[in-house]
Amino acid sequence: MPFTESLTIAPHITGYPGVAFGGHVAGLLAARADAKEVRVDFRAAVPVGTGLVLAEGPDGGAVIRDRSGTELATAVAADLAVEPPEPPSWFAAEQATERERARLLRNPPPIPDCYGCGQAVAPGHGLKLLPGRVEDRPDLLACTWVPDRELAGPDGTLPPETVWSALDCPGGWAGMRLGRMPEGGVTAALTGTQLRSVRAGEPHLSYAWLLGQSGRKTTVGVALATREGELCALASALWITPRGTVGG
């Protein structure tokens, strides 16, 4: 039946300052959309710490609006037309993570408190994903990931908004590290699906790859799997480099 809910996104769930983390927004919408595979389009920046409305959209979709009624993000049923590459081994992902950690000591990240990849955030206040280049796999970024228990619900599983968050940030890094996307890109659309539960405290693999680039548009694939390589969630994302961005 139709639904309308009040919503406020916590201030720490950000990528860029003051803007709600795209994967988190997408997961909130995907959880309410009547489809297994969902495309979320971001129409305007979704603010944190302020009142929003989450409501039913057309054809079983969902929408987030601000208090004035402006649509900020929408979700609709979609076909996820992406095939994930073979996942890296746990050892290869560990090595990629450590290489990226060493690189960031030399070159600090542009957004140190990002909800997806910030490393100094408090437990439960971020995912702390750290994808790096995989040796002998020049087309792949990967990292190991053990989700904080504070990210989970009472049953120990991650809610959809946290799983979808894990499908966001690694794609941006793939666009920058494997492609030509400059810093400053934003997630314009995220199409994904969750295939199995993701439990806090258990080891997982996160990996991302480049699908294509054209002008200011970059398309990437992102996957989340168990340590053994069983797929948990999969997505493709369109990233846009805003006009006026250096290199955009």
Side-chain angles (χ1 to χ4, degrees):
M1 58 186 297
F3 64 89
T4 300
E5 304 171 9
S6 296
L7 170 70
T8 300
I9 297 176
H12 68 274
I13 304 178
T14 60
Y16 295 108
V19 178
F21 192 71
H24 181 89
V25 172
L28 290 171
L29 287 165
R32 300 311 303 265
D34 186 21
K36 181 66 175 176
E37 298 180 349
V38 176
R39 175 182 170 113
V40 175
D41 287 280
F42 299 91
R43 306 193 182 284
V46 179
V48 296
T50 190
L52 303 168
V53 176
L54 173 62
E56 182 178 14
D59 301 320
V63 59
I64 288 179
R65 302 185 180 97
D66 64 17
R67 291 296 186 183
S68 71
T70 300
E71 290 190 356
L72 305 178
T74 60
V76 295
D79 292 321
L80 180 58
V82 60
E83 288 291 333
E86 180 182 350
S89 69
W90 181 260
F91 176 77
E94 276 187 322
Q95 295 300 304
T97 304
E98 289 309 310
R99 280 192 294 272
E100 185 64 15
R101 198 180 310 279
R103 190 187 74 84
L104 289 180
L105 289 175
R106 303 188 302 270
N107 302 286
I111 309 175
D113 60 351
C114 173
Y115 184 73
C117 62
Q119 299 300 298
V121 297
H125 277 226
L127 279 60
K128 304 177 187 176
L129 293 163
L130 195 58
R133 291 181 180 272
V134 179
E135 189 172 6
D136 299 327
R137 298 281 299 274
D139 59 342
L140 198 67
L141 295 186
C143 66
T144 58
W145 185 46
V146 180
D148 289 347
R149 297 189 184 278
E150 292 86 349
L151 293 168
D155 65 351
T157 64
L158 303 192
E161 60 268 28
T162 305
V163 175
W164 278 67
S165 290
L167 298 174
D168 188 9
C169 213
W173 284 109
M176 291 186 288
R177 300 292 302 281
L178 303 179
R180 303 180 306 276
M181 189 175 80
E183 292 180 5
V186 296
T187 311
L190 185 60
T191 303
T193 187
Q194 183 173 344
L195 303 169
R196 57 181 291 161
S197 297
V198 178
R199 295 191 61 82
E202 294 185 0
H204 293 83
L205 294 167
S206 169
Y207 51 109
W209 59 98
L210 188 68
L211 292 172
Q213 289 192 290
S214 177
R216 296 186 298 114
K217 298 179 179 180
T218 300
T219 308
V220 295
V222 182
L224 182 65
T226 66
R227 178 176 181 146
E228 295 74 27
E230 295 180 64
L231 203 60
C232 298
L234 178 67
S236 65
L238 172 65
W239 285 68
I240 299 290
T241 301
R243 296 185 187 278
T245 302
V246 175

